[in-house]
Structure formats: structure tokens, C-alpha cells
Amino acid sequence: MYQTQGFDEMFTRDGEPQAPCRAFVDRLQEFTIDELKNRQIAAELHLNNMGITFNVYGHEAGVEKVWPFDVLPRIIGDDDWRLVEAGLKQRVTALNLFIDDIYNDQRIIADGVVPMHLIQSASSYRPELRGFSPTNNAWCHISGVDLVRNRDGTIYVLEDNLRCPSGVSYVLENREIMKRTFATVFQGMSVAPVDQYPERLLQTLLDCAPPSAERPQAVVLTPGVYNSAYFEHTFLAQQMGVELVQGVDLVVSSDDVVYMRTTQGMQRVDVIYRRIDDDFLDPECFRPDSMLGVPGLLRAWRAGKVTLANAPGTGVADDKAVYAYVPEIIRYYLSEEPLLENVPTYTCWEEKQREYVLSHLHELVIKPTNESGGYGIVLGPRASEADLEAVAERIRAKPREYIAQPMLELSTAPTLTDGDLEPRHIDLRPFVLAGKDIYVMPGGLTRVALVKGSMIVNSSQGGGSKDTWVLRESNGHGAANGHTQPATAQPSTA
């Protein structure tokens, strides 16, 4: 019998289905465990045959790994999703205003809401970009905001990913896998579609093209096949119908125009969806030893001849130290209360909060402010005394580089294991597009900690994913009629 732990997304503590999940649970009971396992095997074969992979640097079993996937979906009800969607639009709007202000008037600093030293000490702050605003003042065109639900049911923003957020290709492929291998569970369910995302992404990019571009041309800029998200780069370029390029394929002319080398000659490029970190983007401006970027690219961008998405310098707003100020950022720019809460956060550069953290390390999660992918995190309740002493020394030496948070017990969802259905901890990364307007993809990437009891959901550290269903009410918000009969869906072109 399935035993819930804390807040479960599908079942109450009494073992009854959560309201949005009742129809799915009724359908699920028609299948035996062996039948579910057969669906799981079919899904894994599809992943392998289609080459849906990700890279793990330094992994002993090799670099490229098949994407881990669980065949049971994570279901989000319409009421929860409306809150999430509105909260994300609010948050991304405020963060775009914040970034534009930081690189221009710096009103929020002058008014004492965010301290200057916090910005200047951020490794992702780019002072060379002062005095510039991109088209539509859109800095973070593509955002991935990580959400978690605590055991009391509250949805929190865990972190903002505003530089080169990855994972959306797996959202699209997860849905395709489900339609291929488990089509019957969709019937009669108003599951919001996700397949509009590539079209929406392309429109967002073109909407932010320089005003002088009459028929803008967009490309995806990748660092190459050894990047951990290379599958996603190729997938999105293909789905949008644009060229996938590397730095050597682009050149900046003396009049600051970007061109792409093609077999038919040079072709002008107006928008670059770049999947290269700032440091490697332009050897003239950032790291001079970079072989991945394009010399002169920042010069062309500042001249208004090309749009870079996301814009360089956006990382200042997803620094985990700045994260602690996002509720105040929302209040400052929008005069609104945040719709989605931050996880309570202690900032170690403030003396009183640092002393509290150092005396309660065994209760807290310690996070480096400039790491990602789950690296460098110390889970206080599960750490050894030696680990706690080591992180205490690091905090004392460089307090700006650490924050601390209470250890949340992430919500769980049923996951197919070798023997049965068992609860596994999950989070959610919805994707937000910001250009002329803001679009939130319904659902997002549900990441699941496949190891029993683990809270680490990152694929680089043993996590997997699930298809994410947003169930729309039939009386509005656009029931996904195209997904009620998924057996007619066309095969993926990925």
C-alpha cells in the first residue's frame, strides 16, 4: 500500500486522491504493477532510440547518459497553477525591471532597498554594461524558476535561473514519450498542451530583435557537442526552424553587424539565443582565452545591431544572495505583495544572521551563492561534524558567498520502483518567456529524486523527471482538446 510522507502531490495523508488527481487515480487502478513496468520499459527504450540524453562531466560511467524518466505524471490542479502562473509573471516582470535599473539609474540602490556592496560583489555583475538597455527592456527572455512545495502545502520559489536555464526540451520530450507509451491515460483529461513552446520561444526572440531588422533572423549559439545541454540546443533549433551555430560560424563586421557563414555566403543575424556563459561569450570583452564565443559580439549588441537572449549580465539577479531581496524587489517596482513566497533565507554577510547560522548549522541548508546544479550545498541535518566545521570556516572566511535556509521537506509524488509505487521527493521548474509580453509554459520540468529519501533532484546527481500535467477546468482557461486523444499525435521530429 502506498504510504505518503509529508505532502504528497497525488494522495492525502488518509490515502485518498488529491482532488485534481481523482480521475487519473481511477484510470491508474486499471493497470497492474507489471503493466506499469512494461510502460516504463517502453518509455526507456524510446529515450534510448531517440538519443534523448544529457551529459555529466567527470562521471565514471561516461559523459553521455540517457535521460532518466518516470512514467507516472505529476499533476497540478487549475487553482494551484493559476497562482503559480500569476506569481511567475509578477516575479519575472520585477526582475527585468531590477536588472535594467541596476545597469542604468540604480534607483533601488539609492533608495536603500538593495545594498550597493551586494551588487558590486556579485561575480555575475558586469559593470561594463552600465548605461545600456536591450530591446523592450527585456534582459531575461527565458527564465526557469525552481519551485518546491513544503510539507504544509505552501509553494515556495527555491531559486531563479536567468542566465541559460536548461530542461525545457525534456519537458517536450516527456510529453511525447507519454503520448507514445501511455496514451490511454490522457483520454478525457483536460491536460494543458506544452507543444506550443518552440513557436512561442521563436516569437519572443523575434519580438526582441533590433527595431531596424525588417525580417529578423534568429540562431541558437551552442558551445558544442560536449556541453551538458547540447541535446537541448539541437532540439530547440530544430523545433524553431533556425540554425544551430558555434562561435566560429559567426563574425562581427567593422560596422558592428553580426553575420553567419553559410554555403551561400554571409547571412545577417539579428537575434542570438545564446547557450554560452557570459565569460566565454566575447573574448574582446570577457575572457580573452575563450574559443567558444565571437569577438566583437558585445560591441554589436551595445550598438543595437543584434539581440542576445538572455542578455549578458542577467546573472546578477539570480545570484542566491540577491534572491533574498526579491520580495522587496517586487514591492519596490510593482507596489504589490509577492504572490509566491521565497524560502526564508539567512544572509551570511550580515553579522547577526551569520552568527545565527553558525550556531544552527545542524538545522540549516547552506548554499554557495554562485554555484548551480546542487553543487556545494551542505544539508545540515544530514552532514557530519567535520563537514559542518568545514563549512563554518568557509562562511567565516567569505560570508558574502553563502546563504542559509531551513531544510524544507519537499513534496512527494508516486514513482515506479522495482517493487511498487513509492513516494519520491520532487520539485518543479516552469519556464517563462518575456518579450513584448510574458508567457508561462503550462507545467514545466518536474524533477524527481530517484534515490529513496534523497532531496537532491538534479539530473547531474542522480535525479530524473516526470511529465507535468496542468489540468484545466472545462469552463475556461482552454481545455487541451488536442490532448484528449493523444493517439493521433504526430511523432516527434527530435
Side-chain angles (χ1 to χ4, degrees):
M1 182 178 178
Y2 185 79
Q3 297 291 327
T4 60
Q5 300 175 356
F7 189 99
D8 191 85
E9 299 288 341
M10 192 168 289
F11 293 99
T12 69
R13 294 180 184 179
D14 296 329
E16 296 297 319
Q18 300 279 8
C21 303
R22 286 171 187 155
F24 176 79
V25 171
D26 288 343
R27 184 70 49 79
L28 191 64
Q29 289 175 346
E30 300 172 4
F31 297 88
T32 67
I33 286 294
D34 286 341
E35 288 172 327
L36 292 177
K37 288 180 179 178
N38 288 336
R39 307 282 180 169
Q40 181 70 37
I41 291 169
E44 291 169 356
L45 284 173
H46 176 72
L47 286 161
N48 187 59
N49 292 337
M50 295 299 291
I52 300 172
T53 62
F54 71 104
N55 292 350
V56 179
Y57 303 122
H59 195 279
E60 62 183 10
V63 172
E64 194 169 52
K65 297 171 67 67
V66 173
W67 180 247
F69 175 75
D70 181 70
V71 76
L72 297 178
R74 185 257 186 89
I75 296 175
I76 304 174
D78 193 58
D79 287 344
D80 273 348
W81 183 250
R82 276 188 262 175
L83 169 65
V84 167
E85 185 176 43
L88 292 177
K89 287 182 177 181
Q90 178 194 60
R91 194 174 183 95
V92 169
T93 297
L95 287 173
N96 266 308
L97 291 169
F98 170 72
I99 299 168
D100 197 60
D101 186 20
I102 287 300
Y103 288 114
N104 288 279
D105 297 334
Q106 297 191 339
R107 292 183 295 111
I108 198 168
I109 294 173
D111 289 339
V113 178
V114 175
M116 173 66 86
H117 76 85
L118 190 71
I119 301 302
Q120 292 180 333
S121 60
S123 63
S124 48
Y125 174 61
R126 306 295 181 184
E128 52 269 79
L129 304 184
R130 286 293 308 275
F132 179 77
S133 293
T135 303
N136 296 329
N137 292 334
W139 291 79
C140 42
H141 308 79
I142 305 102
S143 306
V145 183
D146 291 347
L147 306 178
V148 296
R149 195 198 296 267
N150 197 17
R151 66 179 296 120
D152 64 358
T154 304
I155 297 173
Y156 291 98
V157 176
L158 188 64
E159 64 179 51
D160 303 287
N161 299 282
L162 307 179
R163 282 172 267 192
C164 299
S166 63
V168 75
S169 61
Y170 302 115
V171 177
L172 300 171
E173 285 292 3
N174 286 352
R175 179 61 53 84
E176 186 64 32
I177 292 165
M178 287 292 287
K179 291 193 293 183
R180 284 175 175 266
T181 63
F182 215 173
T184 56
V185 295
F186 285 94
Q187 293 174 358
M189 309 283 286
S190 294
V191 181
V194 296
D195 52 6
Q196 300 172 353
Y197 182 85
E199 180 182 349
R200 290 274 195 162
L201 173 59
L202 179 59
Q203 191 59 55
T204 297
L205 297 175
L206 298 182
D207 283 347
C208 293
S212 59
E214 295 181 3
R215 299 182 62 185
Q217 174 72 39
V219 298
V220 177
L221 176 62
T222 177
V225 296
Y226 296 109
N227 184 264
S228 62
Y230 183 71
F231 166 79
E232 177 157 295
H233 306 167
T234 60
F235 178 88
L236 290 176
Q238 183 184 55
Q239 293 292 307
M240 288 191 291
V242 304
E243 294 294 334
L244 179 71
V245 300
Q246 293 183 243
V248 294
D249 300 317
L250 301 178
V251 62
V252 178
S253 66
S254 58
D255 58 347
D256 301 330
V257 175
V258 180
Y259 291 94
M260 171 175 54
R261 296 183 174 94
T262 75
T263 54
Q264 286 78 40
M266 293 293 191
Q267 182 176 346
R268 182 165 181 167
V269 172
D270 305 291
V271 182
I272 299 174
Y273 177 21
R274 54 101 175 194
R275 299 299 297 261
I276 294 177
D277 291 340
D278 285 2
D279 286 341
F280 301 95
L281 196 56
D282 182 350
E284 286 186 6
C285 188
F286 299 129
R287 283 186 54 160
D289 60 340
S290 172
M291 302 295 290
L292 302 175
V294 183
L297 190 57
L298 266 290
R299 178 166 33 90
W301 178 62
R302 294 205 59 163
K305 303 291 184 67
V306 70
T307 294
L308 298 178
N310 284 349
T314 56
V316 69
D318 69 14
D319 183 296
K320 291 183 179 65
V322 174
Y323 159 92
Y325 289 84
V326 172
E328 288 304 317
I329 289 170
I330 291 171
R331 295 183 184 103
Y332 181 81
Y333 292 108
L334 304 181
S335 300
E336 300 171 357
E337 286 300 308
L339 297 174
L340 294 173
E341 297 185 44
N342 269 20
V343 177
T345 302
Y346 300 96
T347 53
C348 292
W349 60 91
E350 296 185 7
E351 184 177 357
K352 289 184 178 180
Q353 295 191 41
R354 179 171 67 253
E355 292 307 313
Y356 177 86
V357 169
L358 291 172
S359 62
H360 292 80
L361 286 174
H362 60 287
E363 301 173 3
L364 301 171
V365 177
I366 313 302
K367 296 182 177 181
T369 56
N370 291 303
E371 291 283 354
S372 60
Y375 293 105
I377 292 176
V378 176
L379 305 179
R382 302 183 181 184
S384 67
E385 286 300 321
D387 288 338
L388 294 179
E389 289 176 8
V391 76
E393 290 182 10
R394 294 196 294 271
I395 290 172
R396 292 189 183 99
K398 297 181 178 180
R400 165 60 176 81
E401 296 185 9
Y402 293 91
I403 62 169
Q405 298 170 334
M407 186 167 175
L408 302 185
E409 184 176 334
L410 307 188
S411 64
T412 59
T415 303
L416 190 62
T417 65
D418 290 337
D420 208 340
L421 301 184
E422 295 184 0
R424 293 291 185 268
H425 295 290
I426 60 173
D427 76 350
L428 178 67
R429 176 177 290 182
F431 291 88
V432 186
L433 302 177
K436 288 182 178 178
D437 54 16
I438 296 181
Y439 166 75
V440 183
M441 181 190 203
L445 181 64
T446 290
R447 300 183 298 180
V448 52
L450 296 176
V451 178
K452 186 174 183 178
S454 174
M455 298 281 183
I456 304 297
V457 299
N458 306 78
S459 57
S460 58
Q461 300 192 52
S465 74
K466 292 172 171 285
D467 189 17
T468 307
W469 292 9
V470 171
L471 296 187
R472 295 302 202 188
E473 293 178 356
S474 58
N475 61 350
H477 298 87
N481 295 328
H483 284 256
T484 59
Q485 299 293 336
T488 62
Q490 296 300 311
S492 170
T493 57

